Amino acid sequence: MSDIPVSAPHSSPLSALLERHQHEFHPVLPVDLSAPDVARLDFTAANPLLQDADLRDTPAFEELVARLLAAKNAYIGVGGYLENRVIYRRSPGLFGDPAVPARSLHLGVDVWLRAGTPVLAPLPAVVHSVQDNDNFGDYGPTVILQHQLEDTTFYTLYGHLSRRETLLLRPGMTLESGDTFTEVGPAPENGDWPPHLHFQVIADLEGRSGDFPGVGLVAEREKWAALCPDPNLILQSKWLE
């Protein structure tokens, strides 16, 4: 059985708030994530193509993503929220110590598409923080935006970005809904991944700045689902419903 959840829980107060405002959100990317040439990609142990893949070889990983898309006649891949993934074995900080439980529960949605694709603010925002998390397998250039809806403050995180565009941003800068503020980055500057956007919703940064866990322990699924609601409440892709 696949580890892809049939549906993600929408039980937190922030989830309910986002559902009430779905009609107001601007697309995060200038593409239709419900189009026929978009497909859901599976990065769990249920996918046999991942069993022998050398995921530390980024060009080979990029070729694998291209194969997964071609198999579905797609050009853009989506997925990952609360998915128990095997691809983090490429990141020693996540899978390197057998004495430490592996963090493999993905807390955002990944959109696999070409580098250079603009990234847009889904609603008015203030730039909370910007940081280049430049370890291998990390986020690379990262932006966290702060939002306000119905007196509720929450955050959206964007990882694997373009270094040049991202480092032009400064905390405190304001964005209107639909403003382009960065781009999807290329390898290796994006944390050395095949090009994609990691998009995550966060209820409470817990004092963090410029970084936030994008992967958690499977045993803590309920905790992370409440802290990081389903990003598809904003993205609204039919492939993630």
Side-chain angles (χ1 to χ4, degrees):
M1 179 179 294
S2 172
D3 288 322
I4 298 178
V6 174
S7 62
H10 291 178
S11 57
S12 73
L14 179 53
S15 295
L17 175 68
L18 296 176
E19 285 186 300
R20 289 197 297 274
H21 288 269
Q22 280 190 312
H23 62 285
E24 302 174 20
F25 300 143
H26 193 280
V28 171
L29 296 159
V31 295
D32 180 2
L33 294 180
S34 293
D37 60 355
V38 177
R40 188 164 183 164
L41 300 188
D42 178 359
F43 287 106
T44 72
N47 189 337
L49 292 178
L50 302 181
Q51 298 306 312
D52 300 317
D54 181 3
L55 300 177
R56 289 186 61 83
D57 181 337
T58 302
F61 192 177
E62 190 162 354
E63 182 179 343
L64 172 63
V65 172
R67 288 172 58 200
L68 293 173
L69 290 172
K72 298 190 175 186
N73 296 313
Y75 294 99
I76 296 172
V78 293
Y81 180 60
L82 298 185
E83 183 177 76
N84 184 10
R85 291 178 156 186
V86 298
I87 60 174
Y88 299 115
R89 63 179 182 243
R90 76 193 307 261
S91 305
L94 298 177
F95 271 56
D97 185 350
V100 177
R103 293 191 292 126
S104 58
L105 186 73
H106 192 245
L107 306 179
V109 162
D110 286 337
V111 183
W112 304 84
L113 75 179
R114 67 173 179 82
T117 301
V119 180
L120 296 76
L123 65 161
V126 174
V127 176
H128 175 274
S129 47
V130 181
Q131 185 166 299
D132 193 349
N133 298 294
D134 62 353
N135 298 310
F136 177 82
D138 208 328
Y139 282 134
T142 308
V143 175
I144 297 176
L145 300 183
Q146 180 174 317
H147 309 281
Q148 192 85 10
L149 276 178
E150 296 184 18
D151 299 322
T152 295
T153 300
F154 68 99
Y155 308 86
T156 51
L157 181 150
Y158 308 77
H160 313 300
L161 305 174
S162 161
R163 180 170 290 142
R164 181 188 64 184
E165 300 296 330
T166 299
L167 295 183
L168 293 174
L169 300 172
R170 295 290 181 271
M173 292 176 64
T174 59
L175 300 170
E176 296 300 323
S177 179
D179 281 354
T180 297
F181 63 96
T182 187
E183 296 177 349
V184 175
E189 69 183 62
N190 67 352
D192 214 351
W193 291 86
H196 71 288
L197 174 70
H198 172 95
F199 176 65
Q200 185 169 336
V201 180
I202 304 165
D204 183 355
L205 289 173
E206 300 179 328
R208 295 177 174 89
S209 178
D211 195 8
F212 192 87
V215 186
L217 295 174
V218 173
E220 297 178 342
R221 185 180 189 275
E222 290 188 13
K223 170 192 129 176
W224 287 113
L227 187 58
C228 298
D230 186 353
N232 201 45
L233 291 166
I234 293 176
L235 295 175
Q236 300 179 58
S237 169
K238 73 174 186 179
W239 302 111
L240 298 174
E241 292 173 351

